[in-house]
Amino acid sequence: MRPEGAARLAWLLLLAAAAAGHGGVQPLSRIAIHRARVALDASAAVRASPELLGTKGEDTAWVNVDFITPHPSDDDWIGVFSPSNFNASTCPGSHGSGPGPVICSAPIKYQFANYSSDFGKSGKGALKFQLINQRQDFSFALFTGGLSNPKLIAVSNAIAFANPKSPVYPRLAQGKSWNEMTVSWTSGYDINEAYPFVEWGIKWSPAVRTAAGTVTFDRDSICGEPARSVGWRDPGFIHTAFLTDLWPNKEYYYKIGHMLPDGNVVWGKLSSFKAPPYPGQKSLQRVVILGDMGKAERDGSNEYANYQPGSLNTTDTLIKDLDNIDIVFHIGDISYANGYISQWDQFTQQVEEITSRVPYMIASGNHERDWPNSGSYFNGTDSGGECGVLAETMYYTPTENRANYWYSTDYGMFRFCVADSEHDWREGTEQYKLIENCLATVDRKKQPWLIFIAHRVLGYSSGYFYGRDGSFAEPMSRQSLQKLWQKYRVDLAFYGHVHNYERTCPVYEEQCMSSEKFHYSGTMNGTIHVVVGGGGSHLSNFTIQVPAWSVYREMDYGFVKLTAFNYSSLLYEYKRSSDGEVYDSFTLHREYRDVLACVKDSCPPTLKST
């Protein structure tokens, strides 16, 4: 175990206490960068190498950082800053009559100096950092005084990627029609510098080029702190292209690129995807659903709080099985940037191997959207001032209004109705009407598998903070929505927010409608509700008592995989992120007549014979 100073141990205990609640604390928020002082010491030094990264087009690189200080302490730490010039001259606006901060931007990541062995004795250390291409150069700063009272004593040389503006981190998503795929990515190129496009096509056929739109945002586009202050970092430019008229289930190859004014092209990586099946198409279809994953650092940075302990396991396990996954739903609490904008780049790079190959559909969570007086249904501050802007800009979803994250999407035999739990869902609202329209318009003969998704638990959870007041869900959620689930025979409802795994029986009005647990067949007279919030963030406790409707629950990291074989057979599997093995499963078998059958509070009218 790495050595820890007394101050660092205190922070660990504080964060452990926070983690026992719901979410944990963003590690970068523990750095009081606004209180930093500059006290450069001629006897201290930091050196980073190599100075030029990505010379072969790579968008990640390992950097060696060597440092020395005459007075080593357990509280010394190395911060990664980008741009490399991070002094007060970069602070926005005036500081009024006071001197203002000497540093106004938090680092992208950091490590304690004593992660290097023998640092405490010799004052010399060496660390490795993994950097990703984030459009600006980098420098490394040595601080003493811990995170709460940082004092800058040395700054390294600047290092940079060969082309900081390169297009990076492609992200696929389904469009508004079944035969449309969208490709989004990030670059440093404004539209007046280069023309963004996607070159794509079927193997052995001529490729075509489709132009991409370009958007960005500034400080005025977001809502509050720290996103508008120490968490701010220029997001670059986000580009999205729409690839249309796809052949169902056909494999397409694509490359993102930017054409410069002289006609040369800066290319991204070559990748491929399989076009979605036609709605109702009977083929093997495999869906992964998870929530609350967040990001983690492969170099060990930011880990004094073990902020997202399962995130990399989940990511890597999905990558290993990617040939057997067709589409992924990440149902809220995406990056846990919490207003530290640089962390969105970190997240998009972490999941790039997934998002560049299969559609990655997201839902809005409290850590993306919630901010007081911003139109959020909940008046919390979990987004760190982002108020939805980062999520809706970085990732495409087929919504009618990107600020309202509810939508429907079809994938072969599946219909997904994705709600936005951070906006009002109650009866009579715009969202309620669109949820009902999504549920009501599906042809169950061709799309038998009807799935409801939301971030917060609108159905059932025996997670501790829901169970302690006896609601076992968000207030007024079941009362508003259970009639819709029952009327339209929703098979499965998925939620995140609670950081564990739980599956219910087919349930309606808090009563199990079946005593079966592992093999369901015939008429489904209730909806199975699933909490799948163990994507990577701190785990949450359950209530001591197990409710009668709770079939299986586990406090571990994992995700759910659904496999539809045909119109009548579905396999459900819960897999742990640690090993990819199945720990809970059931089969669902039924015919179309079972969907039409009369059940409680959902019985088609019939005429009496005379």
Side-chain angles (χ1 to χ4, degrees), residues 606-610:
T606 57
L607 292 175
K608 293 182 179 180
S609 58
T610 57

Side-chain angles (χ1 to χ4, degrees), residues 52-65:
L52 189 61
L53 312 174
T55 55
K56 297 181 180 179
E58 308 96 324
D59 53 35
T60 66
W62 285 90
V63 176
N64 300 308
V65 179

Side-chain angles (χ1 to χ4, degrees), residues 373-393:
N373 304 313
S374 69
S376 175
Y377 186 53
F378 296 91
N379 209 34
T381 59
D382 291 343
S383 78
E386 294 178 14
C387 56
V389 172
L390 272 296
E392 66 195 45
T393 305

